[in-house]
Amino acid sequence: MPYKLEVDLPAVNGGLDYALLVGKTDVFPYENGKRLSDVRTGVKLTLALQGAGLSTLAVKFDHDPLPRIANEQIEAACAECKFLLVQIPDCIVNLYSSSGGGIGMTATAQTAQIVTLNGSK
């Protein structure tokens, strides 16, 4: 029997309220595996959860929460190991189990901000 649980970002990230930003892509409408339109319906930020063994989490937004940050900047920061840290205070993570016994995560939010930790340059 499948189960579902809603938690916040720290609950899946070892108690940390920020994560490593590793990707940003546009979201388009799809149906039955076919793209319906070239009109963007949202943005997906991909995070690496440093408090969870760098597991990835995709967070979907109905808008671009970080319009000044391009995916190319994120890729360059990752390549240089100068990661961009992001806080998503209203992130709702849905943990779910499938009938096959696997566990998955999906997430949605409305706000995101790049942060600098105290002592970081």
Side-chain angles (χ1 to χ4, degrees):
M1 175 178 193
Y3 293 97
K4 182 178 167 184
L5 175 68
E6 284 187 1
V7 297
D8 60 9
L9 181 60
V12 295
N13 194 23
L16 300 169
D17 70 345
Y18 61 92
L20 309 174
L21 181 61
V22 297
K24 178 179 177 181
T25 54
D26 291 332
V27 175
F28 297 95
Y30 279 83
E31 185 175 296
N32 297 324
K34 290 187 178 184
R35 189 163 159 172
L36 299 176
S37 169
D38 288 335
V39 176
R40 180 181 82 184
T41 58
V43 168
K44 177 177 65 174
L45 298 181
T46 303
L47 310 178
L49 305 176
Q50 72 278 22
L54 298 179
S55 296
T56 58
L57 175 66
V59 184
K60 291 186 181 178
F61 297 81
D62 60 9
H63 63 286
D64 187 346
L66 301 171
R68 294 186 179 140
I69 305 291
N71 193 54
E72 293 77 17
Q73 291 171 281
I74 297 166
E75 289 173 356
C78 290
E80 296 173 11
C81 292
K82 295 181 179 177
F83 298 102
L84 299 173
L85 304 178
V86 64
Q87 281 183 326
I88 306 175
D90 62 348
C91 185
I92 297 172
V93 181
N94 291 294
L95 300 170
Y96 58 91
S97 66
S98 67
S99 56
I103 295 178
M105 296 189 293
T106 60
T108 57
Q110 289 297 311
T111 60
Q113 62 187 6
I114 299 295
V115 295
T116 303
L117 301 179
N118 290 338
S120 297
K121 293 183 179 183

